[in-house]
Amino acid sequence: MLKFDFFTYTKNYITKNDLADLLDKKTEILQKFNTSNMIGWTKYPSNETIEKLIETSNKIKASSNCLVVLGIGGSFLGSYAFHNAFKKYFNDSSFEIIYAGTNLSSNYLNDLIDYIKNKEITLNVISKSGTTLEVMLAYKVLKNLLEEKYSKEEAQKRIFITTSEDNDLSKEVEEENLFLIPDDIGGRYSFITPAHLLPLSLNYDIRNILDAYFEGLTLIDEAYTYACIRHLLFKKGFYVENFSIYEESLSAFTEWLKQLFAETEGKNSKGILPISTINTRDLHSLGQFIQDGNKILFETFIKIAKSSSLTINNKELHIINNIVEDSVIKAHSKGNVACNIIELDYLSQENIAKLLAFFELSAAYSAYLFEVEPFNQPGVEIYKKEVKENLN
Ligand code: PA5
């Protein structure tokens, strides 16, 4: 279950009239959203796709003990966020997923090769465009490794590609090893596509994840209200949103959030800069600025009401963690920082899947409130073009 509080600690900065005006725009904003040709992520994937994913996952488990996922941005952050939220901090026994293709570090690739060379490897290359530099270079290197380690023929069986129909990358493998990202779904909204469901299928029941995600997509009112509150806070000069978490395993989730909001609304010199604090660690770092520094930011706290029952001095540690989080909300709001609270009853797969859907809706609504197109990322394309010119 998710609970939202967008009012208690923001009311000093938002007038009822301003909020009412934005809430009145809801029909117009939803109409823009509903008529976009990039909301394929609001349609449940076909049974055929889900069955192929489960079959493939069983095949991978039978032949391998690790899956190396090559993807960047929206092509890896969804599954990365979800998986990191649930794998154990230490001695994790889930099927090993290794993420690469997110940097151009030769040290990283060298160390990765050393680490995986004696394992049984499957590769999942994920790129909607099929041209992203980091991913394609890592693919080249790891394809060579697979061909040297196994035969060329066996390597082919161990490579799965997730991309768009008919691009060069899609032609690298047989149909059986190919998964498509639909044209009407952009990278950061592709959580319900094979881009994320294939890696997740190794450790989770993807039908349950999908069911929860689609429940999350019904949180239209909550997502729209959150978008309005953020917009009004922005208008009051709060240009930065700090996503504040008190469970470190959600730090990958905050990376996903940063990409979602930055690429969705950061356009035409508009948008709210998303940052994150991983607490209680960052109370001893950015906490000083947030409490006492330049008043440019508001916060969105992601609270988890109940977690494991470790007891210290007869007090459950998670209760202490919650008391600290509540105290910080109060202290920051006394320091003129507006705060939103999103509370999960537990850190469950269902709640995280719902939360992904909730944030996707609100990011898109928010972009429409800023009058920018949510589903492109022209800024990213500009740097890619520059790199291309300089590399040739
Ligand atoms: O959200 C997006 O669309 C981007 O972050 C892309 O996912 C990212 O640039 C990777 O692109 P591609 O999947 O084409 O390799």
Side-chain angles (χ1 to χ4, degrees):
M1 202 178 60
L2 303 180
K3 270 193 345 209
F4 304 93
D5 181 355
F6 303 133
F7 298 107
T8 309
Y9 297 101
T10 61
K11 58 178 182 283
N12 291 348
Y13 313 96
I14 287 169
T15 69
K16 279 197 173 130
N17 284 350
D18 285 348
L19 182 60
D21 283 350
L22 276 194
L23 290 174
D24 278 351
K25 286 181 84 175
K26 184 170 170 189
T27 314
E28 181 199 327
I29 299 294
L30 289 196
Q31 159 126 17
K32 284 189 180 157
F33 176 81
N34 289 327
T35 52
S36 163
N37 57 8
M38 288 305 288
I39 55 164
W41 47 280
T42 59
K43 282 177 250 144
Y44 209 95
S46 70
N47 220 8
E48 198 188 338
T49 304
I50 297 173
E51 271 161 21
K52 185 174 170 187
L53 284 163
I54 295 171
E55 229 172 79
T56 304
S57 145
N58 290 335
K59 248 196 258 170
I60 296 172
K61 281 187 213 159
S63 69
S64 309
N65 53 17
C66 77
L67 176 75
V68 181
V69 171
L70 304 183
I72 196 164
S75 284
F76 93 102
L77 279 163
S79 73
Y80 179 72
F82 195 95
H83 186 48
N84 275 281
F86 299 107
K87 69 177 211 201
K88 282 195 174 299
Y89 283 111
F90 306 101
N91 270 333
D92 180 52
S93 61
S94 61
F95 189 92
E96 189 173 18
I97 314 282
I98 300 163
Y99 290 90
T102 57
N103 58 55
L104 290 169
S105 159
S106 52
N107 291 344
Y108 187 93
L109 266 188
N110 269 331
D111 288 359
L112 174 65
I113 290 168
D114 273 349
Y115 178 64
I116 62 175
K117 66 180 183 228
N118 296 322
K119 290 180 181 268
E120 299 305 330
I121 314 160
T122 293
L123 205 58
N124 183 196
V125 188
I126 308 167
S127 173
K128 189 176 179 200
S129 61
T131 57
T132 302
L133 182 70
E134 295 88 334
V135 178
M136 299 315 287
L137 289 181
Y139 173 42
K140 225 178 180 158
V141 172
L142 294 184
K143 187 180 176 191
N144 279 344
L145 173 76
L146 257 65
E147 288 180 352
E148 276 165 26
K149 179 177 163 77
Y150 305 103
S151 63
K152 263 196 173 180
E153 204 190 6
E154 178 59 20
Q156 271 299 102
K157 290 189 194 152
R158 290 172 173 272
I159 296 173
F160 291 84
I161 304 268
T162 309
T163 189
S164 302
E165 199 161 12
D166 286 338
N167 64 18
D168 286 350
L169 183 60
S170 73
K171 298 187 181 112
E172 287 278 305
V173 288
E174 299 293 330
E175 167 99 44
E176 213 187 318
N177 285 23
L178 176 66
F179 287 93
L180 295 177
I181 304 174
D183 286 347
D184 58 358
I185 304 183
R188 59 195 171 278
Y189 290 88
S190 65
F191 182 70
I192 57 138
T193 73
H196 304 277
L197 294 181
L198 181 55
L200 289 176
S201 66
L202 271 313
N203 288 306
Y204 308 96
D205 181 333
I206 55 172
R207 287 187 204 272
N208 284 347
I209 295 177
L210 282 167
D211 288 348
Y213 176 93
F214 278 83
E215 253 183 66
L217 285 185
T218 64
L219 296 167
I220 294 169
D221 290 343
E222 293 81 351
Y224 187 71
T225 305
Y226 173 52
C228 292
I229 297 288
R230 297 173 78 252
H231 199 76
L232 293 173
L233 292 173
F234 174 84
K235 287 198 158 165
K236 287 276 173 204
F238 297 111
Y239 298 133
V240 180
E241 176 171 23
N242 175 37
F243 292 103
S244 181
I245 56 162
Y246 284 70
E247 181 62 65
E248 203 158 327
S249 68
L250 287 181
S251 62
F253 187 79
T254 67
E255 294 306 311
W256 176 84
L257 279 170
K258 287 191 248 178
Q259 191 232 358
L260 176 72
F261 281 98
E263 286 196 350
T264 299
E265 63 182 16
K267 288 159 204 171
N268 300 347
S269 308
K270 297 175 183 175
I272 297 166
L273 174 69
I275 64 164
S276 63
T277 46
I278 317 299
N279 294 310
T280 57
R281 183 193 74 191
D282 289 342
L283 294 175
H284 304 258
S285 153
L286 287 181
Q288 167 62 35
F289 185 101
I290 297 168
Q291 182 73 51
D292 202 21
N294 198 347
K295 296 296 157 207
I296 50 168
L297 60 80
F298 67 95
E299 296 189 90
T300 296
F301 287 80
I302 301 176
K303 272 190 77 176
I304 295 167
K306 208 165 178 353
S307 51
S308 58
S309 55
L310 178 72
T311 303
I312 301 172
N313 296 341
N314 292 328
K315 209 158 197 168
E316 288 182 27
L317 185 56
H318 81 91
I319 293 179
I320 300 175
N321 199 19
N322 281 339
I323 292 172
V324 171
E325 185 166 4
D326 289 340
S327 310
V328 170
I329 293 170
K330 286 186 187 139
H332 286 185
S333 71
K334 282 181 193 155
N336 297 324
V337 178
C339 301
N340 294 303
I341 306 169
I342 299 176
E343 187 178 293
L344 288 60
D345 51 354
Y346 292 99
L347 180 55
S348 66
Q349 293 176 36
E350 288 72 19
N351 280 336
I352 292 299
K354 273 188 206 166
L355 208 52
L356 284 154
F358 162 81
F359 277 119
E360 286 181 358
L361 285 179
S362 39
Y365 298 156
S366 178
Y368 286 124
L369 288 172
F370 275 115
E371 297 180 345
V372 298
E373 166 56 42
F375 303 115
N376 61 6
Q377 52 286 327
V380 177
E381 305 312 324
I382 292 170
Y383 109 80
K384 282 188 182 173
K385 191 166 164 268
E386 193 73 31
V387 169
K388 211 168 174 188
E389 281 165 16
N390 288 303
L391 268 181
N392 287 335

